[in-house]
């Protein structure tokens, strides 16, 4: 995969610079879709600005995703819009060879790099992954499938002797289409 379009020179960065990336395939950002989540093509806006410690980079990614509810196994689609700020700091990662360090809150937002090129795909990838649900469910109160007969409990109940109340709290809302 040719990543060169994501490598941006930080030389002569005197004022804010904005890059737009359209229709990126998830593979270009090294995003592998699993069985339960599929990510569509990604549009990204990345703005770079000099900061006191290096280069502040704001990522915004917009994409369409499809996922399968892990409880009722029905497919759903959603639009995602996610933003992330990273500080690119030139030099070696001070924690690279230290084990069990206690990180300061800001350390998670820092990327150490060897100039003058920085790789914007890192932040775009991170912003996409942040937006994706870890446990995809169609709605919080999804009642799932009966483990005995497979009936979708969001749509109707069944006569199996399963402690339904113990699994999910029944709600009166109808299933999201
Ligand atoms: Zn569901
Ligand atoms: Zn049943």
């Amino acid at each position: 995969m040719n990543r060169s379009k994501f490598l941006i020179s930080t030389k002569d960065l005197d004022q804010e610079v904005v890059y737009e990336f359209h229709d990126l395939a998830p593979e270009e950002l090294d995003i592998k879709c699993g069985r339960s989540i599929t990510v569509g093509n990604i549009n990204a806006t990345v703005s770079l600005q000099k900061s006191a410690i290096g280069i502040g980079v704001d990522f915004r990614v917009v994409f369409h995703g499809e996922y399968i509810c892990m409880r009722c196994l029905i497919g759903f689609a959603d639009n995602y819009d996610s933003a992330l700020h990273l500080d690119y700091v030139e030099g070696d990662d001070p924690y690279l060879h230290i084990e069990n360090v206690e990180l300061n809150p800001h350390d998670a937002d820092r990327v150490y790099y060897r100039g003058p090129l920085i790789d914007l795909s890192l932040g775009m990838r991170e912003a996409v992954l942040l937006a994706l649900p870890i446990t995809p469910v169609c709605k919080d109160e999804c009642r799932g499938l009966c483990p005995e007969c497979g009936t979708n409990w969001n749509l109707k109940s069944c006569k199996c002797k399963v402690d339904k109340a113990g699994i999910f709290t029944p709600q009166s809302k109808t299933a999201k289409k």
Side-chain angles (χ1 to χ4, degrees):
M1 190 65 64
N2 182 7
R3 284 268 183 83
S4 59
K5 66 173 162 181
F6 303 127
L7 294 175
I8 302 299
S9 173
T10 57
K11 264 187 176 170
D12 309 320
L13 189 74
D14 297 325
Q15 53 191 21
E16 186 179 18
V17 185
V18 178
Y19 291 90
E20 304 253 3
F21 297 94
H22 295 287
D23 243 4
L24 296 174
E27 299 77 41
E28 290 185 81
L29 299 179
D30 209 13
I31 293 165
K32 293 175 188 71
C33 299
R35 261 184 318 145
S36 57
I37 301 183
T38 339
V39 174
N41 282 6
I42 300 148
N43 289 324
T45 308
V46 185
S47 71
L48 293 81
Q49 198 157 28
K50 251 203 175 107
S51 74
I53 52 168
I55 294 162
V57 187
D58 284 295
F59 298 91
R60 183 171 174 216
V61 292
V62 179
F63 60 97
H64 182 82
E66 287 175 18
Y67 64 93
I68 294 169
C69 172
M70 57 181 287
R71 289 183 195 157
C72 67
L73 305 183
I74 288 180
F76 289 89
D78 224 332
N79 291 312
Y80 296 91
D81 187 332
S82 167
L84 174 73
H85 178 89
L86 291 178
D87 290 305
Y88 282 72
V89 180
E90 190 160 8
D92 290 322
D93 187 343
Y95 300 119
L96 196 60
H97 302 293
I98 309 171
E99 280 172 45
N100 302 324
V101 285
E102 258 185 62
L103 293 175
N104 293 315
H106 65 246
D107 287 328
D109 305 331
R110 287 190 184 176
V111 178
Y112 293 90
Y113 74 101
R114 288 278 188 183
L117 295 178
I118 60 175
D119 183 357
L120 298 183
S121 70
L122 296 174
M124 288 189 270
R125 176 175 195 271
E126 202 65 28
V128 170
L129 296 182
L130 273 177
L132 296 175
I134 295 165
T135 51
V137 288
C138 61
K139 53 184 175 172
D140 286 343
E141 63 273 21
C142 173
R143 289 185 237 175
L145 305 177
C146 169
E148 292 290 327
C149 70
T151 292
N152 183 343
W153 284 340
N154 295 316
L155 304 176
K156 57 179 183 175
S157 53
C158 62
K159 297 216 158 57
C160 301
K161 289 197 184 345
V162 180
D163 182 8
K164 292 163 199 172
I167 303 176
F168 303 114
T169 317
Q171 303 274 329
S172 57
K173 276 187 193 167
T174 50
K176 191 166 70 176
K177 286 261 151 59

